Amino acid sequence: MRIGYLECFSGISGDMLLGALVDAGVSFALLEETAAALKVGARLEIRKVIRGGIAASKVDVITPDGPHDGPALDLAPSNAEHAHPHEGHSHAGHSHPPHSHAEHAHEHHADSPESHSSTSHAPHRSLSAILAIIRSAALSETVRARSIRAFELLGDAEAAVHSIPVEKVHFHEVGAVDTIVDIVCAAAGCESLGVDRWLASSLNVGSGTVKCQHGTLPVPAPATLALLGDAPVYAAGPPMERVTPTGAALLRMLEVSFTQLPAVRIQGSGYGAGGRDTPGEPNLLRLLIGEMDLETQAATGIGGQSESIAIIETVIDDSSPQLLGYVSELLLTAGAWDVYRVAVQMKKGRTGVQLTVLCRPDLVPAMRDLLFRETTTIGLHWRIENKAALAREFMKIETPWGEVQIKIARWPSGQVANASPEYEDCRVIAARHGLALKQVMQEAMCIYAAGQAKES
C-alpha cells in the first residue's frame, strides 16, 4: 500500500501542501494545467526558499489583483444576514487588519505585497457558484469529488460557527479564487501521487490570536476548530496561526488518519514552505511517500477505515427456524450490524445452528441479554476484532418510477471501488409498480453510470 504522510510540525495551509507536493515530485505543469482548467483568471508561480536552513518549495497563487501567499479566502456577506467569518491566511503571522468600505469590512492578507484596495466593492461568490466552477472544469472524477467535498466542508463549518444556512455563506471573490486554486490543485497533485492512504502527525495549530471581522479571536480560528473535529492538536513555537481553515479542509478532504509514522519504505519526500521564515522554528510542511507491507497494514489497521467490532456466537440445537428468524430481526432492530445463521454438526450427532451477531463493542451487554431472553441458549462467547472498511457515501438518482439511493464505496485514493442501488428503495418501487426487482436495480445502475460518464 502506498502511503502519504504529512508531518505538520508547523501546521498546514493550502500553499504549504502545494509546495510539498511539487517538492516530492508532482509535476508543476500538472498544477498549472489544473489552475488554467478552472478558468478563474489565476495562475501559479513557484520558487525555492530557505526555511530554517532547509530548502523548500513555495507555491503562490497569482490572481488579476496580485499575488497571494496561500489562501486568502475571505468569506463575506452580501447582506446583513450573511456571516463575516475569518479566513485570510498566508501561514505567516496572520494579523488581519481589516479595511472598510460601505457597510462591509473585508480582511486582507497580512503578508500580501498589496493592500488589495482594488477589492473594494468586489463581487462575492456563493458556495453553489464555486461548486459550479469546479463541476464545469475539465477535471478527473476523483479531483472533482474531493474538491467539492472540501468546499462543502468549509461552507458547513462557517455556517455552523455563525448559525446561518450554508447558502448564506459567501466568499469574497479574490479570496475565493485563491482558495479554489489551492484546493483543486492540491486534489490534483495528491491524485497524481497514487497514494492509497493519507496519514498525518498531530497538528501544531499555533497560538496567539487572529483579528477577524468581529474582533480578536484565539488560535485556532472558529472555522478551523470546527473542521479539525477530534484531530490531535498542540501549540508550539512563536504565537501565530499555523493551521488555516483551508489546511484543515484539505486534511478532511483527504480523509487523513492521525498517527505516528508507521513502518514504511520511504520512496520520496518534499518540503512546502509557509509565508514567514520563523528563526529556530522552520515554517515547513514535510510530505513523505512510502510503501507499507501487508504485515504492517494488518498490525495497524491502516489498510482501510479501521474500527473495533464485537463478534458474539452461540450454538442452538433446540429452537425452531421461525424463532431464530424472529430473534435475528430483534437483534438487527437493537443495533446489530449483521446477524447470520450457519448449520453445524455438534457432538453426539446432533445438528444445530450457530447464530453469529456483529455489533459495536458497547452493544455486547444488550445483545447478550437479548439472546438469553429470547432463545433457548444457556451460554455464548464473544470477542473483539478489528474491522477495516472502505469509505461509503450515498447519492440519490431519479428513475422513471421514483428516487433510489446509490451506495458508493471509495478506495482511500478517492476512486470509486463499488456502487450499488439500495435494496429497500428498489423493493418498494418494484412492489408499487408491479415490476421485477432486478429490472429496477439494473435501471438504477444504468442511470448512475450514465451520470458518472457525463461528469467525467
Side-chain angles (χ1 to χ4, degrees):
M1 172 180 286
R2 191 166 170 84
I3 295 295
Y5 190 80
L6 296 166
E7 294 190 89
C8 305
F9 55 87
S10 192
I12 183 172
S13 62
D15 57 330
M16 293 176 81
L17 180 54
L18 289 181
L21 288 168
V22 174
D23 215 49
V26 171
S27 167
F28 184 65
L30 169 67
L31 302 189
E32 289 181 306
E33 292 167 4
T34 303
L38 293 168
K39 299 179 181 178
V40 292
R43 60 185 175 84
L44 298 177
E45 287 187 355
I46 187 170
R47 65 185 191 274
K48 278 290 186 178
V49 298
I50 300 296
R51 296 288 184 265
I54 298 175
S57 293
K58 180 73 175 72
V59 174
D60 298 316
V61 179
I62 309 300
T63 70
D65 294 275
H68 293 259
D69 284 340
L73 183 149
D74 175 16
L75 292 96
S78 60
N79 59 50
E81 292 181 295
H82 288 99
H84 298 258
H86 151 80
E87 248 283 19
H89 323 290
S90 70
H91 205 80
H94 302 298
S95 172
H96 304 270
H99 64 277
S100 300
H101 60 86
E103 60 184 296
H104 308 312
H106 300 272
E107 299 93 24
H108 67 269
H109 197 291
D111 290 334
S112 176
E114 302 178 19
S115 66
H116 302 293
S117 59
S118 61
T119 63
S120 295
H121 304 287
H124 302 87
R125 283 195 173 104
S126 65
L127 178 61
S128 60
I130 292 173
L131 298 185
I133 291 172
I134 297 171
R135 289 191 176 105
S136 63
L139 305 168
S140 73
E141 177 192 346
T142 300
V143 171
R144 182 180 295 109
R146 279 181 165 175
S147 302
I148 288 172
R149 175 64 174 154
F151 264 101
E152 288 176 340
L153 289 165
L154 274 171
D156 289 345
E158 290 292 358
V161 166
H162 297 279
S163 191
I164 60 171
V166 69
E167 58 268 18
K168 289 193 174 183
V169 176
H170 280 58
F171 297 72
H172 186 289
E173 183 158 12
V174 174
V177 168
D178 186 73
T179 306
I180 293 170
V181 175
D182 268 343
I183 287 175
V184 178
C185 286
C190 289
E191 181 191 43
S192 74
L193 285 175
V195 167
D196 297 307
R197 189 68 185 269
W198 288 91
L199 311 175
S201 66
S202 297
L203 305 172
N204 182 1
V205 296
S207 60
T209 59
V210 288
K211 292 182 181 178
C212 303
Q213 173 61 35
H214 296 295
T216 301
L217 296 172
V219 168
T224 306
L225 193 62
L227 285 161
L228 291 178
D230 62 354
V233 302
Y234 66 97
M240 58 186 281
E241 183 180 47
R242 294 178 181 271
V243 175
T244 68
T246 301
L250 289 169
L251 292 171
R252 292 282 305 279
M253 177 190 82
L254 294 172
E255 297 182 325
V256 164
S257 296
F258 295 94
T259 180
Q260 292 184 339
L261 179 65
V264 296
R265 293 183 181 275
I266 302 298
Q267 298 178 332
S269 64
Y271 290 91
R276 174 186 291 179
D277 186 8
T278 51
E281 298 282 345
N283 193 10
L284 298 169
L285 171 70
R286 184 162 73 174
L287 168 60
L288 303 178
I289 306 297
E291 287 289 335
M292 178 184 291
D293 59 31
L294 292 175
E295 184 178 347
T296 304
Q297 291 178 46
T300 60
I302 287 174
Q305 289 188 340
S306 181
E307 58 184 316
S308 296
I309 181 173
I311 301 174
I312 308 171
E313 294 176 335
T314 185
V315 178
I316 303 170
D317 66 351
D318 56 354
S319 287
S320 69
Q322 294 91 334
L323 175 62
L324 294 181
Y326 172 73
V327 171
S328 296
E329 293 176 2
L330 290 180
L331 291 163
L332 291 169
T333 301
W337 283 328
D338 207 349
V339 180
Y340 57 88
R341 304 186 296 275
V342 179
V344 295
Q345 188 71 43
M346 303 168 66
K347 64 183 180 181
K348 299 181 180 179
R350 292 177 297 149
T351 59
V353 175
Q354 178 176 293
L355 181 66
T356 302
V357 183
L358 309 180
C359 66
R360 299 197 317 266
D362 62 292
L363 291 179
V364 168
M367 299 294 169
R368 176 198 62 203
D369 293 348
L370 192 156
L371 287 168
F372 281 137
R373 183 180 70 247
E374 297 289 345
T375 73
T376 57
T377 189
I378 58 174
L380 53 82
H381 58 266
W382 61 275
R383 62 188 181 275
I384 303 296
E385 293 187 359
N386 292 323
K387 170 187 174 183
L390 296 176
R392 280 160 284 184
E393 62 190 57
F394 293 87
M395 70 176 293
K396 295 179 180 179
I397 61 159
E398 284 293 336
T399 73
W401 314 287
E403 191 175 78
V404 172
Q405 278 202 118
I406 303 292
K407 181 191 292 184
I408 302 168
R410 293 186 183 274
W411 294 107
S413 64
Q415 293 181 321
V416 174
N418 190 38
S420 60
E422 281 293 276
Y423 164 75
E424 283 297 330
D425 292 349
C426 295
R427 182 189 64 80
V428 170
I429 286 176
R432 182 186 302 146
H433 295 276
L435 300 168
L437 176 61
K438 66 179 182 180
Q439 179 185 353
V440 178
M441 299 180 80
Q442 288 168 355
E443 181 66 19
M445 283 307 299
C446 287
I447 294 171
Y448 165 76
Q452 295 303 300
K454 185 177 180 180
E455 285 189 8
S456 59

